[in-house]
Amino acid sequence: MTKLKRILLIATVLLASATAAVMIYFFWFTPSGYRISVSIHGFSKLTDHVYVENGWNGKPEELLATLEEARQRVTELFGGMESAPTLIICDNEHKIKRLGGDHDTMTLLINDVHSYTSLSSEFLTADVLAHEMTHAETHQRIYQNSTDTSSIPIWFDEGLAVQNDYREPYSNETWLKLTDNGQNIPSLSEYGSGETFFSGSTEDRRARYCLAGHEVSKWLEKNGRSGLLSLLKRVNQGESFSELYFAVSP
């Protein structure tokens, strides 16, 4: 073997080792990689796009019924579903940390749009499922064939998800209390980035969700489903969210 061939062989081995190390790290030690490869981490496939932790004590039939109720809410809002988010059910604290959350959705743009929702049994309700599935559907329509993951503001993404989340902290009655019967409504600019929107106490965050939900609800009352679908499509095509939203906003 010549010196050049030895060098090339060593370089190939080192490159292969480095690639393997990166893949192991990604699939085992990052939340996104762990969700993508959940089937090798002690989870079983319950049905298409639904995985449960091995030994999970829940009732599959109840889970599937709750999932169907959530799907119906999302279908009603959008007129159909284009997304197929993967649902991961886990109650193991160690694995929840690996997944990066026990009631949230991660959307990844890898050749296509893929959303992965991680839930513990504590949050396994139609409200939470519909909320997270609304995120997945919004992201599917916004990010399809796109690489711009900042095309919609956090307040709109969360406000739209609240339309399918009927929990009391996001109700109209709560909104009235937060705003002194509509007399003191914060400006949307106060919500800021995701870091700002999700900052503070649980009560602070819930208040922002409620306020954002009411704002989007008012917009939907005027513009309807057709307006929503048009907005998402045009933003996907590169138009400015702000220009479109406030051009027809009440």
Side-chain angles (χ1 to χ4, degrees):
M1 181 181 294
T2 65
K3 182 177 181 180
L4 178 59
K5 288 184 177 180
R6 285 199 298 271
I7 292 174
L8 291 174
L9 177 60
I10 292 171
T12 300
V13 171
L14 290 175
L15 179 60
S17 298
T19 300
V22 169
M23 291 182 65
I24 290 172
Y25 179 81
F26 177 71
F27 288 118
W28 284 87
F29 299 105
T30 69
S32 53
Y34 202 84
R35 294 188 188 205
I36 290 173
S37 59
V38 70
S39 61
I40 68 172
H41 298 301
F43 290 79
S44 300
K45 184 176 182 180
L46 181 62
T47 186
D48 287 346
H49 305 292
V50 179
Y51 291 85
V52 297
E53 174 194 359
N54 291 344
W56 179 62
N57 293 321
K59 297 179 179 180
E61 62 277 12
E62 292 183 2
L63 166 59
L64 296 178
T66 304
L67 183 59
E68 181 56 30
E69 181 181 347
R71 282 199 182 104
Q72 290 175 3
R73 294 188 194 181
V74 179
T75 298
E76 177 63 24
L77 178 62
F78 291 93
M81 283 189 66
E82 296 181 1
S83 62
T86 296
L87 175 62
I88 304 166
I89 307 300
C90 180
D91 291 323
N92 181 294
E93 291 186 8
H94 174 72
K95 290 184 178 181
I96 286 173
K97 290 180 180 179
R98 289 286 184 87
L99 289 163
D102 62 354
H103 60 294
D104 73 313
T105 295
M106 289 184 180
T107 297
L108 307 176
L109 306 184
I110 304 176
N111 296 324
D112 200 349
V113 185
H114 302 279
S115 293
Y116 299 84
T117 297
S118 171
L119 290 179
S120 66
S121 295
E122 177 184 358
F123 297 99
L124 196 54
T125 67
D127 286 317
V128 177
L129 271 170
H131 183 122
E132 299 304 331
M133 291 171 70
T134 302
H135 282 313
E137 187 65 21
T138 302
H139 298 170
Q140 178 71 30
R141 293 169 185 264
I142 284 285
Y143 302 136
Q144 186 69 35
N145 301 317
S146 173
T147 58
D148 182 6
T149 57
S150 61
S151 53
I152 57 173
I154 289 295
W155 63 260
F156 177 78
D157 196 5
E158 294 298 346
L160 189 57
V162 166
Q163 305 309 304
N164 283 327
D165 188 340
Y166 306 155
R167 286 176 289 179
E168 188 276 333
Y170 312 138
S171 67
N172 189 62
E173 289 74 16
T174 300
W175 181 83
L176 290 171
K177 292 177 183 178
L178 288 171
T179 62
D180 297 327
N181 290 318
Q183 298 304 306
N184 297 301
I185 305 173
S187 168
L188 292 175
S189 63
E190 296 180 31
Y191 298 153
S193 64
E195 183 178 356
T196 302
F197 191 91
F198 299 120
S199 65
S201 66
T202 299
E203 288 72 21
D204 292 334
R205 294 191 295 275
R206 284 177 176 170
R208 294 188 195 103
Y209 275 76
C210 181
L211 293 166
H214 188 270
E215 163 61 31
V216 175
S217 177
K218 287 195 308 174
W219 188 91
L220 286 171
E221 285 178 9
K222 180 174 182 179
N223 298 286
R225 179 195 293 159
S226 61
L228 172 63
L229 298 183
S230 175
L231 173 69
L232 297 179
K233 182 178 180 179
R234 293 174 68 179
V235 171
N236 171 261
Q237 294 172 343
E239 295 188 54
S240 166
F241 168 85
S242 294
E243 291 180 8
L244 293 169
Y245 183 87
F246 292 109
V248 289
S249 180

